[in-house]
Amino acid sequence: MMSNLTGTERTSGMLISGMGVVIGLTMAIVGRTDVMGAQGWIVLAFSAVVFFMVANALYHPEPTEDRTTSYYDDPTKVGIVLALVWAVVAMGIGVWVAAQLAWPGLRFDAAWSSFGRIRPVHTSGVIFGFGGNALIATSYHIMQRTSRARMPDQVTPWFVLLGFNLFCIIAASGYLMGVTQSKEYAEPEWYADIWLVVVWVAYFVLYIRTLARRNEPHIYVANWYYLAFILVVAVLHIVNNLAIPASLAGAKSYSAFSGVQDAMTQWWYGHNAVAFFLTSGFLGMLYYFLPKRAERPIYSYRLSILSFWGITFFYIWAGSHHLHYTALPHWVQTLGMTFSVMLLIPSWASAGNALMTLNGAWHKVRDDATLRFMMVAAVFYGLSTFEGSFMAIRPVNALSHYTDWTIGHVHAGAMGWVALITFGSIYALTPVLWHRERMYSAKAVEWHFWLALAGTVIYVFAMWNSGITQGLMWRTYTQSGTLRFSFTDTLIAMHPYYVARALGGLLFVTGACIGFWNVIMTIRHVSKQNRELDHPTSPKATEPVLPVAE
């Protein structure tokens, strides 16, 4: 793939990766008495691998491709494979995390394998490693096709993709070594946060530059959702991670906020990470791949736009519902609760829009497991958003807060919505990118679907039962006014649900492994003729913007 870069682009790639080597070496030397030094060696090794990959192609012949007549899909291909690698690894660690709750001895009496360290490896690996790579890869594909324009250069897409994966590796390795800010979904320390800002700004500029070059006057709605995801996540990340390093030679830093202000900023970030990372970007996937796969126009294009602005405005205010019954001012809690309930309208508008799009194509849903992934994802999106709005109501939150019900809600969205729409999109995209008529094994796609669905249902129902049982036991009092059940009693009651949770996760990760195998086999079995086809689609002629009903 490096051979498709021009000599100038290869030189630029070597300069950028060479700078990464210097930065990594500097971190290793300056932080030699701190964990930052160990992470410096990781940065150095990663940058060195990229440097030699580019250098290996430095003297290859210049590409003869006419860039005005083709799209650039190489980073998309690599992004899909990286997303699936992260999925298998991070979901596998998630099963280990779940198993530790049922069988605590699986910690192996090692600090790095404790629940507190491997749990953020799982969450960040799934959200950022799996979800982030999928979002970047699909956004590259969608913004080119819907704009009928090639990306403006070939270095920036690689910088964004590989730079983002370097951030994910720094984060995951840091957790295992005990490096953490102790902020949900924002655990990496200050130097990793700064690096992500650099990568994210480059991503935003790349997206804007591509849209500015478009040969299609209309900006398709999927691009609206992707742009909201990129722009708002940047703002959230910068504000929430404002911190002062204890030393430039160490990983430790102190938040710019304190007390309840820090908690409010964190959950303003945390819930909007769900809103704009785990919702907005994946709605972009939904609005592109579902109509394409169903070969049906979007039921209501106007509704998709109204839903976009509703989600964008309402979601940003909802984070304070995580802090009911805390020191946060009561009016702020009420504000978060109110906007959370209002959020149900634009969320169900998108879910309903997706399902109504399938009118006249339900026979395809029955026969096509890839489309079924997308349909079930839309259903789970609707269910999860209803549940989220319901749980944000203060009296309901009094029962659900701090219980496994919240865990069940999060995973209904993460497994049922985010993962299923991602797998469906990958199955739809892989044959297109590698010029195949279909996936290598249609039966494997079916197996993956049913394993993923079964795993999600078992996991979510186990956590719903566990959480409600916990909440009821914690608020049960004796006639004398003391708690009826001890903490140990609740743990004993939770055990069968934790076993079911681990089983559900195991089924889900088994499906992910099957999906990874199926994609790799599809890539490997591309015919010789198809291998010789280099970007056969034209940004000015083929693949029109999706038709709409209005």
Side-chain angles (χ1 to χ4, degrees):
M1 289 183 176
M2 296 298 109
S3 298
N4 292 329
L5 302 177
T6 64
T8 303
E9 290 169 338
R10 295 169 199 168
T11 303
S12 298
M14 291 175 64
L15 286 173
I16 294 171
S17 55
M19 290 175 61
V21 170
V22 173
I23 292 171
L25 183 60
T26 303
M27 290 173 61
I29 293 173
V30 173
R32 60 187 179 277
T33 60
D34 188 84
V35 177
M36 188 177 80
Q39 295 208 300
W41 289 112
I42 294 173
V43 174
L44 189 153
F46 184 94
S47 302
V49 169
V50 175
F51 180 89
F52 285 113
M53 286 176 61
V54 179
N56 189 51
L58 183 61
Y59 297 107
H60 287 191
E62 289 283 314
T64 59
E65 171 193 20
D66 182 359
R67 295 187 176 182
T68 64
T69 61
S70 60
Y71 299 118
Y72 188 45
D73 289 331
D74 287 351
T76 303
K77 294 177 180 179
V78 174
I80 285 175
V81 174
L82 288 174
L84 290 171
V85 170
W86 278 104
V88 171
V89 173
M91 292 177 189
I93 293 175
V95 174
W96 184 14
V97 172
Q100 280 193 2
L101 292 174
W103 303 285
L106 291 176
R107 178 192 166 201
F108 304 127
D109 198 28
W112 66 269
S113 65
S114 63
F115 179 91
R117 295 196 184 185
I118 64 173
R119 188 260 179 183
V121 175
H122 162 62
T123 55
S124 293
V126 171
I127 295 171
F128 300 117
F130 171 53
N133 276 291
L135 286 167
I136 292 171
T138 55
S139 70
Y140 287 172
H141 178 85
I142 290 170
M143 70 180 178
Q144 292 184 96
R145 267 65 180 184
T146 56
S147 300
R148 295 177 181 167
R150 185 185 175 105
M151 287 187 284
D153 70 86
Q154 295 193 166
V155 175
T156 307
W158 285 114
F159 173 76
V160 172
L161 180 68
L162 298 179
F164 180 75
N165 278 275
L166 175 58
F167 165 79
C168 293
I169 292 171
I170 293 173
S173 61
Y175 304 151
L176 295 176
M177 292 185 283
V179 177
T180 176
Q181 290 188 112
S182 300
K183 289 189 172 187
E184 187 75 354
Y185 312 136
E187 292 94 342
E189 274 289 1
W190 61 273
Y191 47 87
D193 292 333
I194 292 173
W195 172 244
L196 183 59
V197 171
V198 174
V199 171
W200 217 248
V201 169
Y203 186 19
F204 178 72
V205 172
L206 173 66
Y207 213 107
I208 293 297
R209 289 173 66 199
T210 304
L211 293 180
R213 304 174 77 243
R214 68 187 185 277
N215 296 300
E216 169 62 44
H218 178 73
I219 298 178
Y220 185 64
V221 67
N223 292 301
W224 293 42
Y225 282 98
Y226 275 111
L227 276 174
F229 142 67
I230 298 169
L231 181 59
V232 180
V233 165
V235 175
L236 296 168
H237 172 77
I238 291 170
V239 175
N240 186 52
N241 288 290
L242 291 174
I244 301 173
S247 168
L248 295 178
K252 179 64 179 174
S253 67
Y254 295 94
S255 174
F257 309 100
S258 62
V260 72
Q261 289 83 9
D262 190 39
M264 181 63 250
T265 306
Q266 158 58 29
W267 282 112
W268 170 75
Y269 163 88
H271 195 77
N272 285 298
V274 174
F276 292 94
F277 203 101
L278 295 177
T279 299
S280 181
F282 292 96
L283 282 172
M285 281 190 208
L286 180 75
Y287 275 115
Y288 181 83
F289 287 108
L290 185 140
K292 290 285 289 185
R293 191 72 180 187
E295 297 180 320
R296 299 287 299 171
I298 293 176
Y299 174 71
S300 175
Y301 195 75
R302 291 190 184 96
L303 189 59
S304 69
I305 300 297
L306 289 172
S307 175
F308 169 81
W309 287 113
I311 288 173
T312 301
F313 179 70
F314 291 158
Y315 243 129
I316 207 77
W317 301 95
S320 59
H321 72 228
H322 286 265
L323 297 170
H324 284 325
Y325 302 104
T326 67
L328 193 71
H330 193 270
W331 71 267
V332 181
Q333 299 178 35
T334 302
L335 182 74
M337 177 180 69
T338 303
F339 274 92
S340 298
V341 174
M342 294 165 65
L343 187 59
L344 184 62
I345 298 171
S347 297
W348 271 29
S350 280
N353 207 1
L355 295 175
M356 292 300 289
T357 299
L358 295 173
N359 277 348
W362 288 106
H363 62 287
K364 294 183 179 180
V365 176
R366 179 193 62 205
D367 300 330
D368 183 1
T370 297
L371 187 58
R372 211 179 309 133
F373 267 104
M374 302 179 195
M375 182 274 292
V376 174
V379 171
F380 268 102
Y381 175 62
L383 293 174
S384 298
T385 51
F386 171 78
E387 183 184 20
S389 297
F390 181 67
M391 292 172 70
I393 300 172
R394 194 179 285 108
V396 178
N397 197 263
L399 175 66
S400 69
H401 205 42
Y402 304 123
T403 73
D404 289 333
W405 187 356
T406 304
I407 309 301
H409 164 61
V410 170
H411 283 79
M415 298 165 74
W417 156 237
V418 172
L420 292 191
I421 189 62
T422 302
F423 286 129
S425 300
I426 288 174
Y427 284 136
L429 185 54
T430 299
V432 173
L433 291 177
W434 279 276
H435 320 307
R436 293 284 285 172
E437 293 183 4
R438 58 179 181 83
M439 292 297 298
Y440 173 75
S441 172
K443 288 185 178 180
V445 180
E446 286 281 353
W447 271 100
H448 184 185
F449 171 79
W450 290 112
L451 284 169
L453 181 59
T456 302
V457 170
I458 292 172
Y459 190 112
V460 171
F461 270 87
M463 291 298 94
W464 282 345
N465 282 278
S466 172
I468 293 172
T469 302
Q470 277 179 321
L472 292 174
M473 291 180 74
W474 291 348
R475 61 195 294 169
T476 301
Y477 296 89
T478 63
Q479 291 183 348
S480 61
T482 60
L483 288 173
R484 180 175 180 181
F485 299 103
S486 68
F487 181 70
T488 304
D489 292 332
T490 65
L491 288 179
I492 294 171
M494 296 308 104
H495 186 265
Y497 299 120
Y498 286 164
V499 173
R501 172 190 194 173
L503 174 62
L506 180 61
L507 293 175
F508 200 89
V509 75
T510 301
C513 291
I514 292 173
F516 183 41
W517 168 83
N518 204 3
V519 168
I520 294 300
M521 294 301 290
T522 302
I523 296 170
R524 291 184 60 188
H525 284 74
V526 173
S527 66
K528 181 178 179 181
Q529 179 182 359
N530 284 336
R531 288 181 190 276
E532 294 171 356
L533 291 174
D534 187 22
H535 310 298
T537 52
S538 166
K540 293 184 179 180
T542 62
E543 195 151 357
V545 175
L546 295 173
V548 295
E550 299 177 0

